[in-house]
Every structure is written in structure tokens, then in C-alpha cells.
Amino acid sequence: MRSFLNVQDLGDLKEALREAAEIKADRYKYDTLGKNKTLLMVFFNNSLRTRLSTQKAAMNLGMNVIVLDVNAGAWKLETERGVIMDGDKSEHLLEAIPVMGCYCDVIGIRSFAGLSDREYDYAETVYHQFEKYSGKPVFAMETATVHPLQAFADLITIQEHSQEKQRPKVVLTWAPHPKALPQAVPNSFAQWMMAADVDFVITHPEGYELDPRFTAGARIEYDQRKAFEGADFIYAKNWSCPGVTRPEDYGKVLSRDMSWTVDAEHMSWTNDARFMHCLPVRRGMIVTDDVIEAPTSLVIPEAANREISATVVLKRILQAL
Ligand code: CP
């Protein structure tokens, strides 16, 4: 594997899940695979889980790890071509990327959407520049439009908690947030759920329709209560307007409707559903304290499975070097 951005990059999903179970049973099984290989993790944005879990995954495989926080100590980078660099940006990404490629064997990239130019964000410009100019295999640690390591960990978690149930009902619900957030997590979650053997429903206020390239074939239900009925898993997440129906609204907060916050009453509409969220989460906005603290909450197991999803992905990249 030379690039990891979409569910299709893993090939057979059942085989990937089997590999995840194997790694979980013995996470050090391949601890010499990465000997004398270096992972460079490049962060353009903050992180807790991705940083720790991906570094741990690399260590499980015996790799060396370098972490670069672009906004803390590195030269400020220009990402656009054709600009006159007379401002505060000292280095262009198009030189920085091949230089980074000199010092490592694999590169992980975190680079959020700017949420002002839909075309630029959805072209995954920064990720593809790394793909093209680094000369090294690259993988997404949440990019402008996708977060596949999270979605893979979420799917592992759902499989582990499905209790043999065939085609569990999984609901992705929008919930309010004070700031405009990217669509990367819901995009990837939808893409991975559509590839998995689950009954998948998306619910959100009108205007928040996700890009069809991730949701094609999914059931969209604007009535949150109807969507929750019979659900086995509730996956809450905020996202800003994807600009599908009104491109001029791309990246805007269209609603702060607190009736969408997942509370005990919402959960009572479900089939004793498990609660999921990728974290970090705003309590009182996305979910109430009692729901996230309940024994049915899976937010910590999901975070724990980030180590497993990252180990599988890095293992496959190393095996293809
Ligand atoms: N879920 C997730 O990616 O968390 P971080 O932003 O802390 O890495």
C-alpha cells in the first residue's frame, strides 16, 4: 500500500478486520517489520489520539518516529502555487515536502480543511502534494475531507460490540457545536459504513447533506427520532455545511439547534444503543454527561482501537516497501 485515504485502499474489508483482530490479540507480532524504518508524522493541526496512537502503532512495529508540528518550531509554510511569498511564510510546501521525504520511509499527514474553498479542500490538495513530491508512501491522519484511521477504528469497535447481531443498525447523527468543524469524520464514517455489513442511516438538519461521493446509497432521515428508532449504535458528530445543496454555505454553521444534542431521552428511542464519538467531544453540546459516562458509551474503546487501525495500516505499508 502506497497511500491510505479511502476504504478502498485497504482492499477486502473483511480481511482487514481479520488482520485487526490478529493485531489486537498480539500487537507486537510484527515488531521487527519496521526495524531501521522511520515514520515521519506531519501535523498542520492539533491532535491527541492520532498523535499517540499512531506513534504507538509505529513502535509496535519496531519503527523510529519523528513528529513535526508545522505550526510550532518549523518555518511557516506556503501551500498555494503561484503566490509571491512576500508575507510571513518563509518556505514553500513544494520544497519542504521532498526535504521531509529525505529523512523517512513513510509519512503520515494531518491537514484539516480550511473550510473557505470547497474545491481546494475536496481536491485534497495538501495530501496529494505529499503523495506526488515526497517519494514516500503516505497515509491520512485526518486530512481535509477524510479520517480513515478513525473510521477503521470505529468499524473495529462496532464489530467487537455487535454481539453476533447480523447487520446492526448504525446511525450517524449531526449534533450542535459552537465552531465550524470539517466533514472529514462523518465523510469517512459514512464511506466505511457503506462498505461494511451494517444497516446505515444518516440524520441531520436540512442543509447538512454530506458529499454523495461518501454517502451514495445511504438512507438519509431528517427526523432524528425516526432515525434513532431501533438503532444499535449511535455515532454523534458535528460537521459544518458541506455545501452540497448551496455551495455558498460551505463551511458555515447553519444550526445550533440543541434539540439535536444526544441525551438520555434520545437514547431511549433506540434498541439500547451504544453511544459513539471520535473525541474530542463538547459535553452539553454534542452529548450529555450521563450518556457519555454510561456503560453503553464506547468512546474509550474507540480511542483504544486507533492503535489497532494504525498498526494494520502501517504494517501493510511496510510490507509493500
Ligand atoms: N479522533 C481524533 O482524531 O482525535 P485527535 O484529533 O485528538 O487526534
Side-chain angles (χ1 to χ4, degrees):
M1 191 162 61
R2 293 283 304 178
S3 177
F4 179 62
L5 200 61
N6 293 300
V7 67
Q8 294 82 4
D9 296 326
L10 273 190
D12 185 272
L13 197 49
K14 282 202 174 109
E15 172 55 24
L17 286 165
R18 191 207 56 73
E19 229 170 283
E22 178 196 46
I23 296 284
K24 194 147 182 181
D26 179 4
R27 61 198 68 201
Y28 305 111
K29 185 168 179 182
Y30 301 95
D31 63 356
T32 57
L33 190 62
K35 185 172 162 50
N36 295 334
K37 301 286 183 227
T38 299
L39 167 65
L40 171 62
M41 298 162 67
V42 182
F43 287 92
F44 290 84
N45 305 95
N46 297 338
S47 166
L48 187 154
R49 278 144 291 273
T50 305
R51 174 184 299 251
L52 297 180
S53 61
T54 310
Q55 184 159 356
K56 176 64 165 59
M59 289 156 66
N60 292 347
L61 297 164
M63 297 183 83
N64 304 312
V65 181
I66 305 172
V67 180
L68 177 66
D69 285 303
V70 172
N71 298 319
W75 300 111
K76 207 162 183 188
L77 293 175
E78 177 57 64
T79 56
E80 308 267 355
R81 283 193 74 244
V83 294
I84 296 169
M85 289 172 57
D86 59 354
D88 61 343
K89 293 176 178 169
S90 308
E91 180 157 21
H92 202 287
L93 200 57
L94 294 182
E95 282 80 56
I97 291 172
V99 169
M100 292 181 211
C102 295
Y103 308 133
C104 64
D105 302 282
V106 183
I107 303 180
I109 302 142
R110 167 158 290 205
S111 175
F112 286 172
L115 296 180
S116 58
D117 181 342
R118 185 178 202 283
E119 210 174 309
Y120 182 85
D121 289 344
Y122 273 74
E124 286 290 2
T125 309
V126 172
Y127 183 86
H128 290 308
Q129 283 178 338
F130 272 90
E131 234 177 12
K132 189 168 176 186
Y133 298 113
S134 71
K136 297 292 150 68
V138 297
F139 64 97
M141 299 194 302
E142 186 170 350
T143 58
T145 64
V146 291
H147 197 358
L149 287 173
Q150 180 66 53
F152 188 14
D154 293 332
L155 180 57
I156 295 166
T157 311
I158 287 170
Q159 192 190 44
E160 287 173 344
H161 291 85
S162 287
Q163 295 160 334
E164 308 296 318
K165 181 164 184 173
Q166 297 296 309
R167 284 184 65 77
K169 181 175 178 181
V170 179
V171 178
L172 168 63
T173 182
W174 178 92
H177 194 280
K179 289 169 61 180
L181 297 186
Q183 297 106 42
V185 169
N187 281 344
S188 280
F189 189 73
Q191 185 188 58
W192 285 67
M193 289 305 111
M194 291 307 292
D197 195 15
V198 301
D199 173 16
F200 184 52
V201 181
I202 306 172
T203 185
H204 53 71
E206 287 192 37
Y208 279 97
E209 291 76 14
L210 293 165
D211 192 299
R213 78 188 82 175
F214 300 105
T215 61
R219 198 176 120 208
I220 314 292
E221 173 57 71
Y222 294 109
D223 182 331
Q224 194 188 26
R225 182 171 185 147
K226 267 194 202 158
F228 273 45
E229 280 167 8
D232 300 296
F233 295 90
I234 297 295
Y235 195 98
K237 184 72 183 83
N238 174 269
W239 62 91
S240 62
C241 176
V244 170
T245 47
R246 284 172 48 91
E248 63 272 30
D249 284 344
Y250 175 64
K252 289 185 183 164
V253 174
L254 301 180
S255 170
R256 287 193 174 85
D257 184 349
M258 300 290 280
S259 73
W260 283 76
T261 302
V262 179
D263 62 12
E265 189 194 344
H266 286 70
M267 295 303 283
S268 76
W269 303 334
T270 70
N271 179 32
D272 287 329
R274 303 302 188 99
F275 175 82
M276 300 180 73
H277 188 281
C278 61
L279 303 180
V281 70
R282 299 258 186 158
R283 288 181 178 217
M285 296 288 306
I286 302 282
V287 60
T288 52
D289 291 324
D290 52 341
V291 171
I292 197 168
E293 290 171 6
T296 44
S297 171
L298 294 179
V299 295
I300 306 304
E302 282 176 85
N305 278 332
R306 290 292 305 276
E307 178 188 342
I308 306 304
S309 63
T311 306
V312 173
V313 168
L314 278 172
K315 168 182 163 280
R316 287 187 172 204
I317 290 172
L318 288 169
Q319 285 171 331
L321 281 180

